[in-house]
Amino acid sequence: MTVETSFPVIETERLLLRKAVQEDAADMLRYLSDEEVVRHMGLNPFNSLQDVYGELDWYREIFQVGTGIRWAISLKGSGIMIGSCGFLNRKPNHFRAEIGYELSREYWGEGIASEALQAIISYGFDHLNLERIEALIEPSNAPSIKLAERQGFIREGLLRHYEYTCGKFDDLYMYSLLKMDWRSKEIKTSADNTKKDI
């Protein structure tokens, strides 16, 4: 298993994806205490900074043992953490990982989640040697379904009562994106951009 030693920072046009630190706890509590934000995450709304410290411990643990990585999402020029994104349940021997994200409600609808996911998908295929990226999405989570499909994820099926969270069993759609599909999408996007420039 390849274990990262220094935390990678990713820059996009508008975003800085970086390590989440204890100083981010108040920002995290602000959005993780929002029932609308955590509704499809299998979590109850956070009530205290202690809840957030537990989340930060999990971010650190999955990075240290190599089973995942979670970036803080912040706007360039602002230190404020407005969400997170990354990989979990990474299985290096099978070249796959699961993708996940959440975003503060005040930033919904601005293309930020899409911009962040594009960056980490590229990172996963280019630097983590992933062949397959999975997304497990509740059927009622229409915005995340739309976002995944825009990135090229394919729905493979329904996992019935796959998780037990917040006192209930959840069905989840299994979506996947393969490296070859992503490369084809990148080539097509590059070709389309070249045509626009001509």
Side-chain angles (χ1 to χ4, degrees):
M1 180 184 294
T2 303
V3 178
E4 299 280 344
T5 50
S6 61
F7 197 94
V9 175
I10 302 174
E11 288 190 44
T12 69
E13 185 179 343
R14 295 180 292 170
L15 306 176
L16 185 67
L17 306 181
R18 57 170 176 79
K19 184 177 183 178
V21 294
Q22 193 135 333
E23 289 74 18
D24 294 311
D27 294 334
M28 292 175 69
L29 181 59
R30 196 170 299 117
Y31 63 79
L32 289 173
S33 62
D34 184 338
E35 188 175 341
E36 289 300 308
V37 171
V38 301
R39 179 182 302 277
H40 300 290
M41 293 171 62
L43 298 172
N44 289 311
F46 285 21
N47 293 312
S48 68
L49 288 174
Q50 287 307 120
D51 292 337
V52 175
Y53 296 148
E55 188 78 351
L56 284 167
D57 286 343
W58 178 66
Y59 292 179
R60 273 192 296 275
E61 181 186 337
I62 63 172
F63 181 69
Q64 286 169 357
V65 301
T67 59
I69 181 170
R70 197 81 174 189
W71 285 271
I73 302 173
S74 61
L75 296 171
K76 281 184 176 175
S78 163
I80 297 170
M81 183 173 171
I82 61 172
S84 78
C85 60
F87 298 108
L88 64 155
N89 296 327
R90 182 181 172 209
K91 305 287 186 192
N93 53 324
H94 296 294
F95 303 92
R96 72 171 186 256
E98 183 183 329
I99 200 167
Y101 77 97
E102 82 278 333
L103 188 66
S104 176
R105 194 180 351 175
E106 62 192 286
Y107 296 96
W108 290 1
E110 297 182 17
I112 289 173
S114 181
E115 189 171 327
L117 288 192
Q118 285 176 24
I120 67 170
I121 288 168
S122 287
Y123 186 90
F125 287 136
D126 294 340
H127 298 284
L128 298 181
N129 200 26
L130 297 177
E131 173 64 22
R132 171 186 168 94
I133 297 174
E134 298 174 346
L136 299 178
I137 307 173
E138 291 183 3
S140 59
N141 191 354
S144 281
I145 288 172
K146 188 175 177 184
L147 175 59
E149 291 177 348
R150 272 203 313 264
Q151 300 299 330
F153 281 81
I154 303 296
R155 186 189 303 177
E156 296 182 334
L158 180 69
L159 304 173
R160 299 184 306 152
H161 287 202
Y162 190 73
E163 288 183 342
Y164 183 77
T165 60
C166 303
K168 66 185 185 347
F169 290 101
D170 297 322
D171 294 341
L172 296 173
Y173 283 137
M174 169 64 83
Y175 277 85
S176 72
L177 178 65
L178 301 184
K179 185 185 284 187
M180 63 183 181
D181 300 331
W182 182 250
R183 294 292 182 244
S184 297
K185 183 175 181 279
E186 283 183 322
I187 291 167
K188 183 180 184 308
T189 301
S190 177
D192 289 345
N193 288 338
T194 302
K195 285 177 189 173
K196 287 177 191 171
D197 293 338
I198 293 173

